[in-house]
Amino acid sequence: MNYGGYIKVLRACPWGMFSMLWLFTGIIISYIIGSIPTGYIFGYLLKGIDIRKFGSGNVGATNAWRVLGKPAGITVLILDILKGYIPVVFLGSFLASRINLADKTILPVLLGLSCISGHNWTLFLGFKGGKGIATTLGVLFALSMQVSGLKLILLLLILTWVLVFIIARIISIASVLTSIALPVYSLIFRQSNVVIFLSILLCMLSILRHKSNLKRIFEGKESRLKFRK
């Protein structure tokens, strides 16, 4: 039997076996990288605690700031951003020549969504994780290097977040309103259907992950971030 002929056919097919295997592998690796619970690890290393039992109970940078202090919080923030940036840029570059897609944006978008899902529902903590804002920022940073017009949108998102935070002093409000602004900016600046779909999905994910925060906001119980140590 001529197996070589079958292999050539599969390689020639954009959605053949090899392309699908590479894509599936990339998504799994991105999910695992996104799943690394940096806040939890820092809590254990610095204070020997489970950060989920303190503060808001979240494993993200904001709770790490509150519970572990500013240096740890900033470090967790940077690492969580890198969790979204590195797979999209480096893994995406590696896979780009091995996976043929009609729209080149689809691959980094899938890798980015996988990273964010890993952070939000981490494999290492019983599929319970953070809010995904920092990792989403890393993904958007990476995508802005590949998608025309996204750098301006990213700049506007950062300015939106900073402005809302200065006014409200509540990170969750700034994060949710900025997430809502993402699809709005994407539509205004005529992004592709793939990017618009991604922006809507990220907005919905953010609102879902901040459900408890929104409840506390409406009850007037959401805490403000204090800049100390």
Side-chain angles (χ1 to χ4, degrees), residues 85-147:
Y85 180 85
I86 291 174
V88 173
V89 172
F90 296 101
L91 185 57
S93 297
F94 174 79
L95 293 174
S97 62
R98 293 166 172 80
I99 300 174
N100 295 316
L101 297 172
D103 189 333
K104 298 298 182 182
T105 310
I106 293 176
L107 175 60
V109 163
L110 289 176
L111 297 178
L113 283 173
S114 185
C115 290
I116 296 167
S117 298
H119 179 83
N120 290 351
W121 298 282
T122 171
L123 173 70
F124 304 109
L125 297 177
F127 299 100
K128 295 180 180 179
K131 308 294 185 183
I133 298 300
T135 304
T136 298
L137 180 59
V139 169
L140 292 177
F141 267 125
L143 287 174
S144 70
M145 300 170 61
Q146 307 174 43
V147 179

Side-chain angles (χ1 to χ4, degrees), residues 3 22 108 110 115 127 135-136 147 156 169 184 199 211 222:
Y3 292 105
W22 277 118
L110 289 176
C115 290
F127 299 100
T135 304
T136 298
V147 179
L156 289 173
R169 288 291 192 186
V184 175
S199 64
K211 186 169 60 175
E222 182 74 338

Side-chain angles (χ1 to χ4, degrees), residues 16 27 30 38 45 71 99 112 124 148 150 156 158 175 177 190 217 229:
I27 288 173
S30 296
T38 50
L45 292 177
I99 300 174
F124 304 109
S148 176
L150 200 54
L156 289 173
I158 293 173
S175 298
L177 291 182
R190 299 174 181 267
I217 288 169
K229 55 179 183 175

Side-chain angles (χ1 to χ4, degrees), residues 37-43 46 51 59-62 64-65 68 70-83 119 134:
T38 50
Y40 177 85
I41 292 171
F42 270 71
L46 295 179
I51 196 174
V59 295
T62 303
W65 181 303
L68 306 175
K70 182 166 65 173
I74 292 175
T75 304
V76 170
L77 174 65
I78 293 172
L79 290 175
D80 283 348
I81 290 174
L82 288 174
K83 285 196 312 187
H119 179 83

